[in-house]
Amino acid sequence: MVAHLAEHTRTEALAHHLRTCQRGEHACRWHPRHRGCDGPMVLLCCRDDSGRLWRLADTCRTCTAATPHAAVVTEPLRHSPAALRPPRLLSPTDPAAGRPGDTVQIDGTSLSTTTRVNFGSAAVIPTSVTATQVTFVVPDSAPCAGQVSVSVTSTTGATSNALPFFVIAPPTTTGLSLTCLPAATGGPVTLLGANFLTGTQVRVGTIGNVAVIPSRPSQVTFTAPANPGRVGTVSAQPVTITIAGGTSRSGTTSIDYYLAPTITSTAPTSGTAEDEITINGTGLVNVDTVTFTDSATATAAAARARCGVGVMAILRPVMRIGARLGALPLPVL
């Protein structure tokens, strides 16, 4: 009972030298008369004779001894003046936005007895507490995105005012408008995904960063840089985007840089329709058209099959214009 009543004492405790005996000021109506007040102040809990009315009052040592049906609220049960003041937060949080796992600092007053941080509907144990500052980590249970209210609760059960905090969802990438580019030049590409609006840069693997200003949350167009220093026929480079809420996961989206195809030889060097011709060279990856050109500048399309650094083609008697590869003279017999 004494401990419970102590929780209902004043929230703004007086300094010790300002406390006066409330029993004496009430002209001894609460206890038998004696020679006068004397001794240090204590907090006394007492009831009237009916047992239905309870009082808490600062009381001197002499009046305490003369008061029936009373008990002293001992000092360990009393709270310091700072602890009795309700916690108050000062805006804004630092940072004012973040994602799960980020450390957040709250500044305020009377925070020394904080036991939990109320992050939306989640109760978070603070990582550090002082009289003017509380630090906590944004929980994994935070909503994917949006505003939540942040407050603190003290050992007395008092809850502070609430401050807004914005949860920023990390970006995700789902694909690209182009998945292959010439290594010598690079080119424009549209990155697809979600949560791009606060994006600042797109990173293309080891090649470098490209500054961006997304106008839509689900896509952003950028110019992929050239990749002149690459080695081999194909260089796969992961593409990520960085926003205020972090960086997208690497490895989910990538660009393949290709060397320009070059023909070095054919075998055989002559043939007839339906013959199989092997074309050797470099950069012959993902070839989609093989074209034979005769002396009259007509062209013949050919079926093809990829095989390492060579392409096997079967000459067909169907003529069309267009070529994706460099051409070597190949007589059509």
Side-chain angles (χ1 to χ4, degrees), residues 1 5 23 26 29-30 44-57 67-71:
M1 174 64 74
L5 289 174
R23 300 290 190 243
H26 284 77
R29 288 177 295 168
W30 293 349
L44 192 69
C45 176
C46 65
R47 65 172 177 83
D48 62 6
D49 292 337
S50 68
R52 291 179 296 178
L53 177 64
W54 290 80
R55 299 188 181 95
L56 282 168
T67 302
H69 313 300

Side-chain angles (χ1 to χ4, degrees), residues 146-235:
Q147 178 179 317
V148 297
S149 296
V150 178
S151 62
V152 299
T153 299
S154 69
T155 54
T156 65
T159 298
S160 71
N161 57 305
L163 297 178
F165 183 88
F166 293 88
V167 179
I168 302 176
T172 57
T173 59
T174 57
L176 295 161
S177 60
L178 294 175
T179 57
C180 59
L181 290 172
T185 61
V189 181
T190 298
L191 178 64
L192 307 175
N195 305 319
F196 287 178
L197 275 182
T198 59
T200 56
Q201 67 180 22
V202 169
R203 182 168 185 83
V204 183
T206 59
I207 302 173
N209 297 324
V210 180
V212 294
I213 304 178
S215 59
R216 298 174 62 180
S218 60
Q219 66 180 57
V220 61
T221 299
F222 66 99
T223 300
N227 189 13
R230 53 160 312 285
V231 177
T233 303
V234 181
S235 173

Side-chain angles (χ1 to χ4, degrees), residues 74-322:
T74 57
E75 292 302 322
L77 292 177
R78 302 194 64 188
H79 301 294
S80 66
L84 289 171
R85 299 188 186 100
R88 179 172 179 270
L89 304 183
L90 305 176
S91 184
T93 59
D94 183 20
R99 60 178 181 170
D102 287 351
T103 298
V104 180
Q105 171 184 305
I106 310 174
D107 294 326
T109 59
S110 304
L111 303 180
S112 58
T113 59
T114 296
T115 56
R116 74 171 186 266
V117 176
N118 307 303
F119 189 88
S121 60
V124 181
I125 302 301
T127 55
S128 66
V129 174
T130 69
T132 59
Q133 188 177 100
V134 171
T135 301
F136 72 97
V137 176
V138 178
D140 292 335
S141 60
C144 294
Q147 178 179 317
V148 297
S149 296
V150 178
S151 62
V152 299
T153 299
S154 69
T155 54
T156 65
T159 298
S160 71
N161 57 305
L163 297 178
F165 183 88
F166 293 88
V167 179
I168 302 176
T172 57
T173 59
T174 57
L176 295 161
S177 60
L178 294 175
T179 57
C180 59
L181 290 172
T185 61
V189 181
T190 298
L191 178 64
L192 307 175
N195 305 319
F196 287 178
L197 275 182
T198 59
T200 56
Q201 67 180 22
V202 169
R203 182 168 185 83
V204 183
T206 59
I207 302 173
N209 297 324
V210 180
V212 294
I213 304 178
S215 59
R216 298 174 62 180
S218 60
Q219 66 180 57
V220 61
T221 299
F222 66 99
T223 300
N227 189 13
R230 53 160 312 285
V231 177
T233 303
V234 181
S235 173
Q237 298 290 338
V239 179
T240 59
I241 184 171
T242 298
I243 69 169
T247 300
S248 62
R249 183 175 299 176
S250 179
T252 58
T253 307
S254 64
I255 291 178
D256 291 337
Y257 283 88
Y258 289 85
L259 289 177
T262 301
I263 298 175
T264 57
S265 65
T266 62
T269 58
S270 63
T272 60
E274 302 300 328
D275 285 353
E276 290 186 354
I277 309 297
T278 299
I279 302 172
N280 299 305
T282 60
L284 304 180
V285 178
N286 290 339
V287 173
D288 60 8
T289 301
V290 176
T291 304
F292 294 90
T293 304
D294 65 13
S295 58
T297 70
T299 61
R304 80 286 182 209
R306 291 185 293 274
C307 183
V309 295
V311 173
M312 179 180 294
I314 302 176
L315 184 60
R316 302 294 190 194
V318 178
M319 307 300 291
R320 72 181 182 188
I321 305 299

